[in-house]
Amino acid sequence: MATDWLGSIVSINCGESLGVYQGRVSAVDQVSQTISLTRPFHNGVKCLVPEVTFRAGDITELKILEIPGPGDNRQCGDLQQTEMDIPGVGCQVGPSQNGTGKVLKKPISSSAPQNIPRRTDMKSQDVIISPQQQCSKSYMDRHVETLTQSKGFRRRHNSWSSSSRHPNQVTPKKSGLKNGQMKSKDDECFGDDIDEIPDTDFDFEGNLALFDKAAVFEEIETYERRSGTRSRGTPNEKPARYRHDENILESEPIVYRRIVVPQNANKEFCTDSGLVVPSVSYELHKKLLSVAEKHGLTLERRLEMTGVCASQMALSLLGGPNRLNPKNVHQRPTVALLCGPHVKGAQGISCGRHLSNHDVHVILFLPNFVKMLESITNELNLFSKTQGQQVSSVKDLPDTPVDLVINCLDCHENAFLRDQPWYKATVDWANQNRAPVLSIDPPINEMEQGIDAKWSLALGLPLPLGERAGRVYLCDIGIPQKVFQEVGINYHSPFGCKFVIPLHST
């Protein structure tokens, strides 16, 4: 009967795909053709599940390793208590009722699943077989071979189906036997002890915290300092960063002098590429504009060019494409344009017209005069066609801070305007508004500037501006090279592909 085999220790060969299993028979179902093993071992390694069920179609060969008898469980020991690597091997089976027995050379496994005996030690262990099992000498011999082959397998994680409770897929390694002997390379690879699967994950953060990187770098730096070798990097060092137009092989930018003025410059500036731009006096700058106007660069052209360059710089200061795009209509910037009744004021009005065309809210302040310059009248007519707002009183200027203040109140001449009440009131409003200030073509004398600027825009060539002018920028107003030569200036354009470039003090 099938129930007679309950408690027997068997070896089930499921083929190359599933491998060999050993365990004690816990249930046999003749209807569903299944057999269940408790405390199973797969290819010599203890399984992680307490019970495994096999179908008849999965079993290639079934071997009975031990038949239960009176007192056998006490002598061999329960699998759950001993957890032997190969069940039923190394146990001393007592003699049967007739008292006879037989000795067979077989390997004895260790007390832990990962300790598998070497092949060289398999001939030194004895097992006593009772007469009931003497007739099964053939299956014991085959079992010795099966146990020897299972030595070369690796431990694998087994996943079991919840419905059939049999392994889904187990891929065993080849036994490595050739002519009854194991290959030396397989013995070296798979013959070592197998460690238990850890129950907890490896603590990467905890082990990383044990490494003191600062102390290691300090030790390396100390060693290199003593030995005289070059340091290859410390935590305090930062790699040099270069722009797309810089040569990484140069430690410093090359200084070029491609602009030479007829008189010694009071102050020199330098571009980002290293080109020296000398400053010129106001008299030489005024002469340069006069000669350019004589050759056709009229005041209207200069005003238009200055307005375009100043508006481009102002748009960049206001945020450029990040601020001025159709999706940011609710963030429309506000610019306060302060202009005086002179040519500098006309330049500011031209800049305000271009800013208003680019959807910037422009508030133009210009005091009322009985007679205005023709250039101012023409610029005002064009500005009135935009959405910009013109005011003539300081009270009409915004009470809240604006995004940018463009200062065109001061000029190189007409110093009496600074004593006018509207001028002083406008300067006080600009200083209290706390908005950044951009000055267009500011005068040289710092005492004449009532408003401290953050940026200043020079025209053609810079004047020797002071500290109150802020950071100086230079714009190209279209003066030809031969016009510079006519006034005694050896000129080569420093602008490159731009119309507005920053200048740095040397």
Side-chain angles (χ1 to χ4, degrees):
M1 298 295 293
T3 57
D4 297 339
W5 302 100
L6 296 179
S8 301
I9 299 178
V10 297
S11 174
I12 298 177
N13 187 354
C14 297
E16 295 183 358
S17 60
L18 299 180
V20 181
Y21 291 82
Q22 296 90 25
R24 190 179 297 276
V25 179
S26 60
V28 178
D29 192 346
Q30 294 182 348
V31 179
S32 60
Q33 293 294 305
T34 60
I35 182 173
S36 300
L37 303 182
T38 59
R39 306 297 296 175
F41 285 76
H42 173 241
N43 295 332
V45 179
K46 180 183 176 182
C47 298
L48 301 179
V49 294
E51 187 178 17
V52 182
T53 301
F54 300 91
R55 296 180 300 183
D58 297 332
I59 299 175
T60 304
E61 183 181 5
L62 189 146
K63 300 177 183 180
I64 301 175
L65 305 182
E66 179 184 341
I67 301 175
D72 289 347
N73 294 336
R74 293 297 180 181
Q75 295 179 9
C76 290
D78 189 79
L79 291 175
Q80 184 175 2
Q81 297 177 0
T82 59
E83 295 185 356
M84 298 173 62
D85 189 17
I86 307 298
V89 180
C91 299
Q92 183 176 1
V93 182
S96 61
Q97 296 178 358
N98 54 13
T100 60
K102 185 177 181 179
V103 178
L104 178 65
K105 298 295 184 177
K106 292 183 64 178
I108 294 181
S109 62
S110 61
S111 60
Q114 66 273 18
N115 296 329
I116 300 176
R118 297 283 184 175
R119 184 178 179 87
T120 56
D121 300 334
M122 290 181 180
K123 299 181 180 180
S124 60
Q125 307 296 335
D126 297 337
V127 176
I128 301 177
I129 307 298
S130 63
Q132 292 179 345
Q133 298 176 346
Q134 184 175 357
C135 60
S136 304
K137 178 180 180 301
S138 59
Y139 79 78
M140 295 298 291
D141 294 337
R142 292 193 301 268
H143 179 59
V144 173
E145 181 180 358
T146 302
L147 297 178
T148 306
Q149 294 179 0
S150 63
K151 174 180 175 293
F153 291 110
R154 287 183 177 178
R155 171 176 300 182
R156 295 186 177 271
H157 178 70
N158 301 326
S159 59
W160 308 93
S161 174
S162 59
S163 60
S164 61
R165 297 178 59 86
H166 70 277
N168 293 332
Q169 183 177 2
V170 179
T171 305
K173 293 290 183 178
K174 293 184 178 180
S175 61
L177 292 177
K178 184 176 181 181
N179 297 329
Q181 296 181 356
M182 180 180 290
K183 295 182 180 180
S184 59
K185 60 172 62 178
D186 291 343
D187 188 23
E188 295 176 359
C189 182
F190 305 110
D192 295 337
D193 295 340
I194 303 176
D195 298 330
E196 287 289 345
I197 299 177
D199 297 333
T200 59
D201 296 335
F202 182 76
D203 187 7
F204 289 96
E205 296 183 358
N207 285 269
L208 184 60
L210 299 177
F211 175 67
D212 191 357
K213 184 169 63 175
V216 173
F217 275 108
E218 183 179 359
E219 182 180 355
I220 295 175
E221 184 180 4
T222 303
Y223 171 77
E224 292 179 345
R225 190 186 304 111
R226 292 178 179 178
S227 60
T229 58
R230 180 182 178 182
S231 177
R232 297 186 179 181
T234 60
N236 297 329
E237 290 183 357
K238 294 182 178 180
R241 296 184 177 182
Y242 300 92
R243 298 191 311 273
H244 66 280
D245 56 348
E246 283 186 318
N247 190 350
I248 63 175
L249 300 180
E250 299 173 356
S251 58
E252 296 180 358
I254 301 176
V255 178
Y256 298 99
R257 290 186 177 273
R258 306 173 69 178
I259 301 177
V260 181
V261 296
Q263 56 187 1
N264 295 331
N266 296 332
K267 190 173 184 180
E268 289 184 343
F269 299 91
C270 182
T271 63
D272 291 338
S273 59
L275 179 63
V276 176
V277 179
S279 63
V280 294
S281 61
Y282 171 70
E283 290 76 12
L284 182 59
H285 192 270
K286 184 177 179 179
K287 182 180 179 180
L288 177 63
L289 297 180
S290 177
V291 175
E293 186 174 357
K294 182 181 66 175
H295 287 285
L297 188 62
T298 61
L299 177 61
E300 290 77 11
R301 289 188 174 185
R302 290 200 339 254
L303 292 178
E304 187 69 15
M305 196 67 185
T306 303
V308 170
C309 293
S311 62
Q312 286 183 351
M313 181 177 177
L315 291 175
S316 299
L317 297 176
L318 291 173
N322 297 325
R323 179 80 180 276
L324 300 168
N325 59 67
K327 297 181 180 180
N328 288 340
V329 179
H330 61 286
Q331 295 182 357
R332 184 181 178 187
T334 302
V335 174
L337 189 60
L338 310 179
C339 298
H342 39 66
V343 176
K344 306 299 180 184
Q347 294 175 351
I349 300 174
S350 176
C351 174
R353 171 167 54 89
H354 290 289
L355 289 177
S356 182
N357 291 338
H358 286 266
D359 203 21
V360 177
H361 184 209
V362 179
I363 302 176
L364 171 62
F365 169 79
L366 182 66
N368 288 327
F369 277 84
V370 177
K371 185 178 181 180
M372 292 285 188
L373 296 176
E374 182 181 0
S375 58
I376 294 180
T377 304
N378 295 335
E379 293 296 333
L380 283 178
N381 291 334
L382 291 175
F383 182 81
S384 62
K385 303 302 186 292
T386 65
Q387 297 181 355
Q389 178 184 358
Q390 179 183 356
V391 297
S392 58
S393 176
V394 179
K395 298 180 180 180
D396 297 331
L397 291 174
D399 297 333
T400 58
V402 296
D403 294 278
L404 181 65
V405 174
I406 299 179
N407 180 21
C408 297
L409 293 174
D410 300 302
C411 67
H412 303 284
E413 301 173 355
N414 301 332
F416 66 92
L417 294 176
R418 301 181 183 89
D419 298 330
Q420 299 295 325
W422 61 266
Y423 182 91
K424 296 180 180 180
T426 307
V427 171
D428 293 340
W429 176 88
N431 292 331
Q432 295 176 3
N433 191 264
R434 297 178 298 176
V437 179
L438 169 63
S439 295
I440 299 178
D441 194 15
I444 302 175
N445 191 357
E446 293 185 0
M447 299 302 296
E448 297 176 358
Q449 301 180 28
I451 304 175
D452 293 337
K454 188 175 183 179
W455 308 281
S456 293
L457 183 63
L459 310 179
L461 284 177
L463 299 175
L465 301 175
E467 296 295 334
R468 299 186 64 181
R471 186 173 183 182
V472 181
Y473 284 76
L474 184 67
C475 73
D476 184 9
I477 58 176
I479 301 177
Q481 185 177 9
K482 291 186 178 180
V483 175
F484 285 97
Q485 295 178 357
E486 188 172 345
V487 296
I489 299 176
N490 186 9
Y491 179 82
H492 191 279
S493 176
F495 295 97
C497 61
K498 301 179 181 180
F499 283 88
V500 180
I501 59 174
L503 298 180
H504 310 280
S505 300
T506 57

